[in-house]
């Protein structure tokens, strides 16, 4: 079986597993999923898929769209920001997630991180090809704290001591893009030259000394160094990089001259607006790059890090707490509050340790209080990060999200409309624009309302964002909004109040 994210593809039984749950698929959608999973990070055109799956049968290309819709529904995939299946307009599809053999992916990693065996395997495969002179470029993407740097740390630790491999690593810094040209490139060069032989130092330092070197000369310098020995060139957080650094990354990725060069760049998609130069550079590269070796693999790929699944969180807790068996409910608590974000997971565990909630009795681990009585709130280690992200929002956007927090981690648009005393249509229009700009919330679907109407509902990307927004509300405003939501429930369900009695009671109590 092949594993991707929290799913396993079972070719023998033609089904997909999520944990112990078997998700059945009809034969044709399963065939489409299997083909995509067996060609991860590769552009699969409509014609290629139809020819491979049904060579003797005429199938209209638009039927593929129906199968893809069914697969996205099964996987819970967002077509706007996909974790699994990306649509390449007018060309085909690309399977985004890293794929590994289920047994290998589930095995505990020996490098200190959990849940990233498939991603480490993919990086290692690229490095193997680079050693044979086939250059490669990877964009590693994901939200803040998802584990991009930790993944690279583990990869470098496993391969950085290999004989002959050079590692040059630079990082962009927020606010530096307009102040110092080629900042991450300079940092990478200085790191490499400090550890490399003397002959590399003059060439590289001269190339970036005053920022006047052309992009072509910089590319040629890197390629010269990678002519005989493999070079791993890493640029982190390039959403903050200056234009010259982005142009260099784009040029290095496009060039096809033979070199033992592996270029890896990380960034946060949520920090790119429509006008960000990186968006056009990356899309151009990913849409046009195809493998030069004829195998269908691409020299340029995106590796999007998905949240850690519950089993990975359980493995992390076992290691950190030194216990094979964990208290019931602990894994679910940490996974729910971290939403699989590695940084949040670490902060939640540190917060629990700081409250002295664990009791060790020999090899037995237990909690000092019942799991249901633990109130995590916002861990101290994350309060500053979350507050910083919230402060970047406009006052109008922040007010929308604060009103949503009154209704919960998953909240309906009508509740926000009630709290702010605005029309439902206006609220949904504002949220449609907000979801496009920021990734703190996403649309989760639509609810049928009494009387035949419909209301969109949304979900916070992390429960901790909802918690931070809710706790920062002034108590009088919070109580007022709860009362308005309770009154709207009474009005909407007039004559059927018993169906929402629990919700009404909760808002009335919170509204004092």
């Amino acid at each position: 079986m092949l594993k991707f994210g929290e799913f396993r593809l079972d070719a023998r039984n033609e089904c997909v597993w999520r944990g112990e749950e078997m998700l059945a698929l009809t034969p044709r959608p399963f065939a489409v999923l299997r083909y995509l999973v067996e060609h991860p990070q590769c552009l699969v055109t409509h014609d290629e898929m139809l020819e491979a799956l049904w060579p003797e049968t005429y199938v209209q290309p638009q039927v593929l769209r129906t199968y893809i819709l069914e697969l996205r529904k099964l996987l819970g995939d967002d077509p706007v920001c996909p974790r699994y299946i990306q649509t390449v307009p007018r060309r085909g599809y690309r399977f985004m997630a890293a794929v590994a053999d289920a047994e290998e992916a589930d095995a505990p990693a020996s490098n200190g991180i959990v849940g990233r065996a498939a991603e480490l395997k993919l990086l290692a495969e690229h490095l193997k090809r680079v050693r044979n002179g086939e250059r490669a470029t990877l964009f590693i993407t994901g939200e803040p704290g998802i584990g991009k740097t930790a993944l690279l740390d583990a990869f470098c630790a496993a391969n950085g001591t290999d004989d002959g491999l050079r590692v040059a690593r630079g990082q962009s810094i927020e606010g530096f893009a307009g102040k110092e040209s080629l900042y991450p490139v300079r940092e990478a060069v200085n790191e490499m030259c400090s550890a490399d032989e003397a002959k590399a130092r003059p060439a590289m330092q001269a190339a970036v000394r005053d920022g006047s070197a052309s992009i072509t000369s910089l590319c040629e310098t890197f390629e010269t160094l990678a002519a005989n020995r493999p070079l791993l060139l890493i640029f982190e957080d390039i959403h903050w990089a200056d234009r010259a650094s982005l142009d260099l990354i784009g040029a290095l990725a496009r060039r096809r001259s033979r070199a033992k060069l592996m270029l890896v760049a990380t960034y946060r998609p949520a920090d790119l607006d429509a006008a960000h130069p990186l968006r056009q550079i990356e899309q151009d590269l990913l849409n046009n790059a195809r493998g030069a070796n004829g195998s269908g693999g691409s020299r340029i790929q995106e590796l999007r890090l998905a949240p850690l699944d519950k089993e990975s969180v359980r493995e992390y807790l076992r290691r950190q707490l030194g216990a094979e068996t964990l208290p019931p409910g602990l894994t679910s608590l940490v996974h729910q509050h971290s939403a699989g974000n590695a940084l949040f997971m670490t902060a939640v565990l540190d917060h629990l340790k700081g409250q002295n909630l664990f009791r060790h009795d020999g090899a037995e681990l237990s909690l000092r209080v019942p799991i249901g009585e633990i109130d995590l709130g916002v861990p101290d280690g994350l309060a500053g990060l979350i507050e910083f992200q919230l402060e970047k929002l406009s006052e109008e956007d922040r007010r929308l999200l604060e009103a949503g927090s009154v209704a919960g981690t998953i909240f309906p648009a009508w509740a926000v409309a009630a709290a702010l005393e605005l029309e439902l249509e206006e609220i949904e229009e504002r949220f449609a624009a907000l979801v496009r700009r920021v990734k703190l919330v996403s649309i989760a679907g639509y609810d049928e309302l009494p009387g035949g109407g419909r209301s969109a509902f949304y979900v916070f990307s992390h429960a901790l964002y909802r918690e931070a927004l809710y706790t920062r509300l002034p108590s009088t405003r919070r109580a007022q909004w709860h009362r308005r939501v309770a009154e709207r429930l009474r009005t909407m369900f007039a004559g059927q109040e018993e169906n929402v009695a629990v919700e009404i009671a909760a808002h009335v109590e919170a509204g004092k």
Side-chain angles (χ1 to χ4, degrees), residues 9 31 52 56 83 144 187 274 317 323 392 421 426:
L9 186 138
E56 305 298 330
R83 292 170 52 192
E187 186 178 37
L317 294 175
K392 293 195 293 184
E421 295 186 315
E426 179 181 350

Side-chain angles (χ1 to χ4, degrees), residues 298-512:
S298 177
R299 295 185 306 110
I300 306 170
Q301 295 184 3
E302 179 183 9
L303 176 57
R304 182 170 296 173
L305 296 191
L308 297 172
D309 58 22
K310 188 180 291 187
E311 185 54 43
S312 298
V313 173
R314 180 180 288 110
E315 177 62 25
Y316 175 80
L317 294 175
R318 285 172 179 160
R319 294 185 190 183
Q320 296 300 313
L321 296 173
E324 182 60 31
T325 303
L326 300 172
L330 178 62
T331 298
S332 295
L333 176 72
V334 176
H335 184 257
Q336 178 183 347
H337 281 267
S338 68
N341 182 291
L343 176 62
F344 286 19
M345 173 183 67
T346 301
V348 169
L349 179 58
D350 289 344
H351 186 68
L352 293 172
K353 287 180 176 178
Q355 293 181 317
N356 195 30
L357 293 177
F358 298 110
R359 180 193 294 116
H360 285 271
D361 184 11
E364 187 73 19
L365 178 71
S366 61
L367 292 169
R368 299 183 186 277
V369 299
I371 194 81
E373 296 180 11
I374 297 176
D375 182 13
L376 279 173
V378 180
D380 294 338
L382 292 177
L385 170 65
I386 292 175
E387 194 65 25
F388 177 73
Q389 289 184 277
L390 297 180
E391 287 300 325
K392 293 195 293 184
L393 298 170
S394 69
E395 182 62 33
E396 179 180 306
D397 288 346
R398 192 158 50 245
R399 191 172 181 84
L400 278 175
L401 295 176
E402 287 172 347
S405 73
V406 169
T409 302
I410 302 175
F411 59 92
W414 66 256
V416 178
L420 299 180
E421 295 186 315
L422 294 172
E423 295 297 323
L424 176 59
E425 183 179 357
E426 179 181 350
I427 291 298
E428 290 186 343
E429 288 178 355
R430 291 188 183 184
F431 267 108
L434 176 62
V435 167
R436 288 194 296 268
R437 289 195 306 272
V438 302
K439 301 301 180 184
L440 298 183
V441 290
S442 60
I443 188 165
Y446 293 87
D447 262 343
E448 297 293 332
L449 302 179
R454 290 212 316 166
S455 170
F457 62 98
Y458 307 90
V459 57
F460 283 100
S461 59
H462 299 288
L464 293 175
Y465 286 134
R466 182 263 170 180
E467 186 73 22
L469 286 159
Y470 186 75
T471 56
R472 64 183 280 159
L473 278 172
S475 58
T476 53
R477 185 190 305 169
R478 185 192 310 160
Q480 180 188 58
W481 285 357
H482 274 294
R483 290 195 297 271
R484 289 176 180 174
V485 174
E487 186 58 36
R488 181 63 61 87
L489 276 168
R490 288 195 185 97
T491 302
M492 290 169 54
F493 289 87
Q496 307 173 50
E497 290 90 347
E498 69 276 5
N499 294 333
V500 290
V502 173
E503 290 88 343
I504 292 175
H507 286 292
V508 169
E509 181 179 0
K512 298 182 172 56

Side-chain angles (χ1 to χ4, degrees), residues 172-184 240-244:
S172 302
I173 299 176
E174 187 173 16
F176 246 66
K179 297 179 180 178
E180 187 170 344
S181 180
L182 296 171
Y183 179 84
W240 290 327
D242 60 284
R243 185 56 194 254

Side-chain angles (χ1 to χ4, degrees), residues 246-265:
L246 292 177
D247 287 343
L248 174 63
I249 292 170
L252 282 171
R254 289 186 182 92
R255 290 168 69 95
R256 293 182 173 274
S257 57
R258 190 172 178 83
K260 297 181 178 181
L261 176 61
M262 182 170 175
L263 172 62
V264 180

Side-chain angles (χ1 to χ4, degrees), residues 69 108 157 165 186 217 269 290 304 361 396:
L69 286 173
L165 176 66
R186 294 168 185 267
S217 66
R290 294 292 287 170
R304 182 170 296 173
D361 184 11
E396 179 180 306

